[in-house]
Amino acid sequence: MSLSELDNAEAFALQRAEMVERQLRARHIRDPRVLRAMGALPRELFVPPELRSRAYEDNALPLAHGATISQPYVVAAMTEALQLSGLERVLEIGTGSGYQTALLAELAAEVYSLELEPELARSASELLERMHYQNVQIKTGDGRSGWPQPAAVPFDALLCAAATPEAPASWLLQLRDGARAVVPIGSGAGQQLRLLEKHRGRWRRKDLFPVRFVPLR
Ligand code: SAH
């Protein structure tokens, strides 16, 4: 690393620590594993180069192809709601930048992530490989059908980063009993982040807070 790169890395580390205090702890994110992982994960690597200086802002940022990297607080709240212990196999829908994917890889055993847009799937895969994540599989595909290979099923948790009027039936089928899913439900401005738990083959639902995600296409 050059001196200016070292300076940059230090500046980002400061911004990251501040993000954890002001955006997460102050808003009652409590899971120590989530706080630790988000305090270590370099979010600046996941945003487009020209937006790098804004990586730790308290909002979502645009990616290519109409995708967005979610606001740090929303990423933290969704991840915390899954109550991951480290042993889980997680299905993610909407890889986007791969930031949420990397966080899940830090907090669970295995992550399977589906992204509709081939270029986003490719750049996220390359980045996570460069970062030496070995417990992540990213595929291009329509997340509404679930993971295409039955060998990976069932999942212990699911996180969807795009809004849908309701959770597709395939997700219910691919989760084990007792599994949790966090999904933005609704369309346009009328979305709620919903926590779903599979019990005896059906969803138990709890609405968490209003959100604004790009639609699941
Ligand atoms: N978690 C991501 C956010 C990505 S935004 C991040 O932190 O960067 C939502 C993503 O869902 C977009 O990349 C979009 O291309 C993708 N998407 C939309 N519809 C989809 C579908 N049917 N299947 C898989 N991915 C989809």
Side-chain angles (χ1 to χ4, degrees), residues 43 46 63-70 75 92-101 114-117 120 139 141-145 159-162 213-217:
R43 184 170 161 93
F46 294 86
L63 303 168
H65 303 284
T68 56
I69 178 170
S70 305
V75 171
E92 183 191 34
I93 311 295
T95 317
S97 66
Y99 177 69
Q100 173 79 71
T101 319
L114 279 167
E115 169 57 53
L116 196 59
E117 196 58 60
L120 289 174
K139 271 188 184 296
D142 184 352
R144 289 173 304 177
S145 322
L159 189 153
C160 178
F213 276 83
V214 301
L216 191 68
R217 286 175 288 147

Side-chain angles (χ1 to χ4, degrees), residues 195-208:
L195 175 63
L196 302 164
E197 258 185 59
K198 179 172 172 176
H199 284 285
R200 300 191 184 148
R202 312 185 62 180
W203 294 124
R204 267 190 210 159
R205 306 171 167 81
K206 184 182 169 195
D207 280 350
L208 301 179

Side-chain angles (χ1 to χ4, degrees), residues 16 33-34 36-46 92 95 97-113 123-138:
R16 189 155 57 241
R33 298 178 72 242
V34 172
R36 206 179 313 126
M38 285 187 70
L41 189 59
R43 184 170 161 93
E44 68 275 12
L45 301 183
F46 294 86
E92 183 191 34
T95 317
S97 66
Y99 177 69
Q100 173 79 71
T101 319
L103 184 62
L104 292 170
E106 294 286 346
L107 298 174
E110 296 170 28
V111 184
Y112 296 75
S113 187
S123 57
S125 294
E126 285 172 7
L127 176 55
L128 294 192
E129 244 167 68
R130 261 185 282 136
M131 295 176 81
H132 305 294
Y133 285 101
Q134 294 184 332
N135 57 343
V136 177
Q137 280 198 51
I138 298 175

